[in-house]
């Protein structure tokens, strides 16, 4: 068995009302190709898929591809994960289908607030962020 370049574990999502929701199977787990992997991430993702929590990333791949978080205040974790997934084949991802991380959701936090200009900001971030993270000459299958 080849070493995995990404390992994703489940999360226990805990709200301010102390309700617990377990997410144990990421949308990407059933993917059989790179295209299906990225489609699953973009279309069917859950909170466990998009954040950096409950993940172990291959350090060498991060270094080789010069992948970094853009400090934009929103969506940088989702874009980072998308750019990282773009470098992988489905068999390079390992899964632990039980909650190994507790994610506390607080009301009024950045991820739980509404911003009218959010769609425009997301588009601008997508347009520039992944382009900046790719090495010259590489192609993208999601833009």
């Amino acid at each position: 068995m080849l070493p995995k370049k990404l390992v994703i574990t489940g999360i226990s999502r805990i709200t301010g009302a102390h309700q617990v929701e377990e997410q144990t199977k990421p949308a990407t787990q059933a993917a059989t190709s790179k295209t299906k992997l990225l489609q699953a991430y973009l279309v069917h993702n859950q909170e466990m898929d998009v954040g950096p929590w409950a993940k172990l990333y291959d350090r060498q791949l991060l270094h080789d591809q010069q992948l970094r978080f853009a400090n934009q205040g929103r969506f940088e974790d989702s874009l980072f994960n998308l750019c990282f997934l773009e470098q992988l084949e489905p068999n390079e991802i390992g899964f632990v289908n039980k909650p190994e991380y507790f994610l506390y959701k607080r009301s009024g936090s950045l991820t739980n607030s509404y911003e009218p200009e959010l769609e425009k900001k997301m588009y601008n971030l997508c347009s520039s962020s992944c382009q900046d993270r790719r090495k010259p000459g590489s192609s993208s299958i999601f833009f």
Side-chain angles (χ1 to χ4, degrees):
M1 178 191 279
L2 294 173
K4 303 300 181 184
K5 294 184 179 178
L6 175 66
V7 176
I8 303 172
T9 74
I11 65 171
S12 288
R13 183 179 181 271
I14 304 165
T15 67
H18 301 291
Q19 294 177 326
V20 178
E21 172 194 322
E22 289 187 353
Q23 296 179 358
T24 58
K25 187 173 181 185
T28 53
Q29 189 167 353
T32 56
S33 70
K34 184 181 283 197
T35 299
K36 290 184 184 214
L37 177 69
L38 296 176
Q39 286 173 343
Y41 181 81
L42 289 169
V43 177
H44 303 291
N45 67 61
Q46 304 175 76
E47 195 156 26
M48 72 179 295
D49 296 304
V50 297
W53 43 77
K55 293 176 182 63
L56 296 172
Y57 300 93
D58 180 271
R59 185 173 188 240
Q60 191 63 49
L61 181 64
L62 291 171
H63 179 267
D64 292 348
Q65 296 300 317
Q66 301 174 7
L67 295 173
R68 304 285 185 269
F69 275 80
N71 190 10
Q72 300 293 325
R74 286 197 189 256
F75 298 113
E76 65 270 7
D77 48 359
S78 297
L79 285 171
F80 172 83
N81 282 322
L82 181 59
C83 292
F84 193 88
L85 286 174
E86 187 182 30
Q87 308 303 315
L88 302 177
E89 295 295 331
N91 64 345
E92 296 177 301
I93 305 172
F95 301 96
V96 177
N97 295 117
K98 66 178 190 171
E100 296 289 349
Y101 186 85
F102 294 95
L103 177 64
Y104 289 90
K105 300 297 286 187
R106 295 177 290 113
S107 64
S109 69
L110 186 61
T111 58
N112 287 328
S113 59
Y114 173 74
E115 185 177 332
E117 293 291 317
L118 193 56
E119 185 177 343
K120 183 178 179 181
K121 286 183 179 183
M122 175 64 174
Y123 177 79
N124 291 337
L125 186 60
C126 284
S127 295
S128 65
S129 185
C130 286
Q131 294 294 328
D132 292 344
R133 292 167 204 236
R134 272 188 273 119
K135 288 186 166 185
S138 67
S139 64
S140 172
I141 63 174
F142 61 90
F143 283 115

